[in-house]
């Protein structure tokens, strides 16, 4: 559903409702989930999932001052910049690629340049909201512009087992840019060549000792802002190693052969995939690159490996399932394996994989009684993550009998979570068993669902994810 119901109601009262809440100061987060988002096969980071209302308010509060923030940011910073003419954040991929190109150009301009790679430990989590609020007030000179935002962030920390800035929204990245502005100022004032993307910094100089001293000074600056350097990710690289980091010649060659359709592209990608798996297993960005290239070629070479290693791949589940969809000749085997995986209950410990499997069956429009039964098990388990329960509800609704639709209605009445009620109401609608009378009853009984009820009354075609 995403924001379809809000988009439909935007000029019919929803925008006005949000504006009134902001002007009245009633804009603290009301419903927040902290999701353990996989970073690799073992570790996670706390991803924030706001309600639709809270997410729009948070973005609005940040975007209001984002142009002013961006004007304080040094030109060598490429993350979360503001597009001043369009009034929107710049999408991450272009600036990230541009930073890598500039790093390579800098290194090639002087073959004796070394590069210090600096990273901050758990950056977003350790941003001090009080220090950030001081920065914002000094920048705007108008407490009215920042008071609501400070209250929002303070409330976010108070009611969640999380701290710092919410991870996920681009608006947090804009605030994070300002938090590291003193580091940019130090590097610029001392005439160092540097590039930064969020907390990922590249600093260039010929002298190893000079770079070491710079890193120590940056660490001191970070400590004053309640941050610390990630020692395992911070290193001073010799010229050749630095070039290899920012420009992988092998990957560039493979990318070119795939894009232009050279005859050797398939063999090159397969060989690269085998090398990555042997050296890295299920870790690293090289695995994502290999899987994405195989998907582009629609080559099922790695399908069996992906299925057999599914539980080690939650951090690359997006790429893996895009690949499984692209490998059309393996669809029957993929369906069989994923069904068995869900029936064994293996998905319980891997909610992101669970969600991706349900999403896969929805997108592929596969009707399976076995998957529907597994979806019921997920929906009825309130200890499961809401985002996987929502997809389970959606799958059931699209394949529900009248009897099952009646059970969905019962689940709706028992559910306490607003986001789950919203999902169940949509599922009832898609089952074809949501009467006008009951929809009117829901609208009058649940104020939080007024907007989705009004949307569903227009008989919309809700897009698949």
């Amino acid at each position: 559903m995403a924001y379809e119901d809000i988009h439909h109601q935007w000029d019919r009262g929803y925008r006005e409702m949000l504006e009134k809440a902001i002007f009245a100061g009633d804009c603290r987060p009301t419903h927040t989930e902290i999701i353990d988002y996989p970073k690799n096969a073992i570790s996670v980071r706390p991803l924030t999932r706001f309600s639709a209302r809270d997410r729009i308010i948070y973005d609005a509060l940040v975007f209001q001052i984002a142009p002013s923030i961006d004007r304080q940011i040094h030109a060598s910073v490429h993350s979360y910049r503001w597009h001043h003419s369009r009034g929107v954040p710049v999408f991450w991929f272009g600036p990230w690629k541009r930073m890598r190109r500039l790093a390579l150009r800098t290194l090639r301009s002087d073959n004796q340049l070394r590069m210090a790679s600096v990273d901050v430990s758990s950056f977003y989590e350790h941003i001090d909201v009080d220090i950030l609020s001081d920065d914002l007030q000094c920048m705007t000179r108008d407490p009215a512009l920042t008071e609501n935002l400070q209250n929002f962030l303070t409330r976010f920390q108070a009611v969640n087992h999380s701290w710092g800035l919410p991870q996920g929204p681009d608006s947090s990245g804009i605030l994070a840019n300002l938090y590291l502005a003193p580091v940019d100022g130090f590097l610029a004032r001392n005439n160092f060549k540097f590039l930064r993307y969020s907390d990922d910094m590249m600093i260039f100089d010929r002298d190893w000792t000079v770079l070491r001293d710079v890193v120590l000074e940056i660490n001191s600056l970070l400590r004053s802002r309640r941050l610390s350097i990630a020692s395992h990710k911070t290193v001073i690289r010799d010229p050749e190693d630095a070039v290899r980091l920012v420009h992988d010649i092998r990957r560039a060659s493979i990318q070119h052969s795939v894009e232009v359709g050279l005859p050797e592209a398939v063999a090159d990608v397969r060989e690269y995939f085998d090398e990555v798996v042997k050296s890295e297993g299920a870790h690293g960005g090289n695995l994502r690159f290999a899987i994405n290239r195989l998907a582009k070629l629609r080559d099922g070479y790695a399908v069996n490996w992906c299925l057999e290693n599914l539980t080690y791949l939650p951090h690359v589940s997006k790429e893996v399932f895009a690949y499984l969809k692209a490998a059309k000749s393996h669809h029957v085997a993929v369906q069989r394996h994923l069904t068995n995986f869900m029936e064994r209950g293996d998905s319980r410990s891997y909610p992101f994989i669970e969600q991706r499997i349900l999403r896969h069956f929805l997108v592929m429009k596969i009707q399976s009684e076995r998957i529907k039964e597994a979806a019921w098990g997920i929906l009825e388990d309130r200890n499961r993550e809401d985002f996987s329960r929502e997809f389970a509800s959606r799958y059931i609704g699209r394949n529900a009998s009248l009897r099952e639709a009646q059970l969905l209605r019962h689940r709706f009445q028992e559910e306490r979570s607003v986001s789950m009620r919203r999902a169940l109401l949509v599922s009832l609608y898609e089952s074809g068993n949501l009467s006008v009378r009951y929809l009117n009853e829901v609208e009058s009984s649940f104020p939080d669902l007024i907007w989705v009820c009004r949307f569903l009354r227009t008989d919309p075609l809700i897009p698949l994810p």
Side-chain angles (χ1 to χ4, degrees):
M1 260 280 275
Y3 292 88
E4 287 293 318
D5 51 340
I6 293 173
H7 183 264
H8 178 266
Q9 303 290 331
W10 188 249
D11 292 321
R12 299 184 175 119
Y14 199 93
R15 174 175 180 164
E16 182 182 359
M17 177 193 72
L18 293 184
E19 287 177 344
K20 285 180 178 179
I22 291 173
F23 292 138
D26 180 24
C27 49
R28 297 181 180 185
T30 57
H31 176 77
T32 306
E33 290 178 71
I34 303 298
I35 297 169
D36 290 332
Y37 189 81
K39 292 172 66 176
N40 54 43
I42 299 173
S43 63
V44 297
R45 65 182 177 94
L47 189 74
T48 301
R49 189 174 186 234
F50 288 127
S51 68
R53 169 195 179 274
D54 294 344
R55 174 63 184 270
I56 294 171
I57 285 178
Y58 179 51
D59 283 350
L61 294 175
V62 176
F63 291 171
Q64 181 184 24
I65 55 175
S68 299
I69 292 176
D70 192 70
R71 293 187 185 99
Q72 307 298 320
I73 306 303
H74 194 272
S76 295
V77 178
H78 295 271
S79 55
Y80 301 101
R81 301 309 301 253
W82 187 255
H83 198 300
H84 291 270
S85 61
R86 293 175 55 199
V88 295
V90 179
F91 186 62
W92 72 271
F93 189 61
W96 171 258
K97 287 178 65 177
R98 183 167 61 252
M99 185 184 79
R100 306 287 285 193
R101 287 197 303 268
L102 289 172
L104 182 61
R105 187 185 305 168
T106 301
L107 290 166
R108 285 178 170 170
S109 69
D110 183 347
N111 60 14
Q112 296 184 53
L113 277 180
R114 291 179 169 84
M115 183 178 79
S117 301
V118 181
D119 202 277
V120 179
S121 180
S122 301
F123 176 41
Y124 278 62
E125 294 171 70
H126 291 140
I127 288 177
D128 189 297
V129 169
D130 290 333
I131 294 176
L132 176 63
S133 298
D134 290 343
D135 293 340
L136 291 170
Q137 288 188 20
C138 291
M139 181 193 74
T140 62
R141 305 291 181 184
D142 183 356
L145 283 175
T146 58
E147 185 177 356
N148 279 338
L149 179 57
Q150 182 178 0
N151 291 338
F152 187 101
L153 293 173
T154 301
R155 175 71 174 175
F156 165 73
Q157 291 190 127
V159 299
N160 297 294
H161 53 280
S162 186
W163 52 92
L165 288 180
Q167 296 189 54
D170 283 346
S171 40
S172 289
I174 292 169
L175 296 175
N177 256 356
L178 181 65
Y179 201 76
L180 287 183
V183 176
D184 305 331
F186 162 73
L187 292 170
R189 185 167 55 81
N190 289 279
N191 297 317
F192 283 103
K193 295 178 180 178
F194 75 98
L195 297 165
R196 177 166 73 80
Y197 193 97
S198 192
D199 62 321
D200 182 3
M201 303 173 227
M202 302 175 182
I203 308 160
F204 307 91
D205 197 272
R206 288 185 171 191
D207 193 312
W208 188 94
T209 303
V210 169
L211 287 175
R212 186 210 53 181
D213 292 345
V214 170
V215 171
L216 292 176
E217 183 62 31
I218 288 174
N219 194 45
S220 177
L221 276 167
L222 292 174
R223 280 203 306 270
S224 71
R225 300 180 75 75
R226 309 295 189 267
L227 301 173
S228 60
I229 280 179
S231 56
H232 63 292
K233 292 183 179 179
T234 299
V235 63
I236 298 174
R237 302 178 186 277
D238 290 333
E240 289 185 7
D241 187 28
V243 170
R244 280 194 296 269
L245 177 71
V246 300
H247 181 65
D248 188 324
I249 297 175
R250 176 89 180 281
R251 279 175 51 160
S253 174
I254 291 173
Q255 173 72 11
H256 176 73
S257 66
V258 170
E259 286 180 349
V260 302
L262 297 180
E264 63 268 24
V266 172
D268 287 346
V269 176
R270 289 183 175 188
E271 182 183 1
Y272 184 78
F273 172 80
D274 289 339
E275 291 175 10
V276 168
V277 170
K278 287 177 183 176
S279 62
E280 299 180 5
H283 303 283
N286 291 333
L287 179 61
R288 283 191 176 89
F289 175 82
I291 290 174
N292 284 336
R293 301 293 83 70
L294 287 168
K296 191 172 183 65
L297 293 168
R298 299 187 181 279
D299 180 11
Y301 180 72
V303 165
N304 289 338
W305 183 89
C306 288
L307 294 173
E308 290 167 4
N309 290 276
L310 203 55
T311 55
Y312 304 108
L313 302 171
H315 55 301
V316 290
S317 58
K318 177 182 178 181
E319 291 80 8
V320 165
F321 279 90
Y323 172 51
L324 296 179
K325 181 172 182 268
K328 293 185 177 180
S329 61
H330 291 70
H331 281 179
V332 174
V334 168
Q335 180 181 338
R336 182 171 60 250
H337 186 98
L338 296 180
T339 301
N340 291 337
F341 182 86
M342 294 287 277
E343 286 185 332
R344 290 195 305 268
D346 292 352
S347 64
R348 180 184 297 273
S349 299
Y350 305 95
F352 270 91
I353 296 175
E354 187 171 75
Q355 182 222 28
R356 286 287 169 181
I357 291 174
L358 290 166
R359 183 183 187 276
H360 178 81
F361 277 81
L362 277 166
V363 170
M364 300 295 289
K365 300 181 180 179
I366 299 171
Q367 296 185 7
S368 167
E369 289 299 316
R370 294 165 65 189
I371 287 293
K372 187 162 64 173
E373 188 60 32
W376 273 112
I378 294 167
L379 177 61
E380 292 170 346
D381 183 356
R382 288 181 176 169
N383 292 321
R384 293 291 232 286
E385 299 280 2
D386 274 1
F387 65 85
S388 58
R389 293 181 68 217
E390 289 169 14
F391 273 79
S393 167
R394 185 89 190 266
Y395 187 82
I396 294 167
R398 281 191 157 245
N399 300 282
S401 63
L402 176 60
R403 181 179 66 254
E404 289 168 328
Q406 292 168 339
L407 286 174
L408 284 174
R409 178 167 160 173
H410 174 69
R411 278 283 149 206
F412 171 85
Q413 293 166 340
E414 288 199 328
E415 190 59 56
R416 294 185 295 272
S417 163
V418 173
S419 62
M420 279 306 305
R421 278 180 174 164
R422 180 172 179 260
L424 284 160
L425 193 62
V426 171
S427 300
L428 267 173
Y429 167 78
E430 289 196 303
S431 75
N433 294 285
L434 179 62
S435 69
V436 173
R437 185 204 65 79
Y438 189 65
L439 188 61
N440 292 337
E441 187 176 299
V442 170
E443 182 176 346
S444 63
S445 303
F446 300 98
D448 291 331
L449 298 177
I450 287 175
W451 306 103
V452 69
C453 289
R454 293 176 181 175
F455 173 59
L456 294 178
R457 198 174 283 114
T458 65
D459 195 28
L461 178 63
I462 301 173
L464 282 167

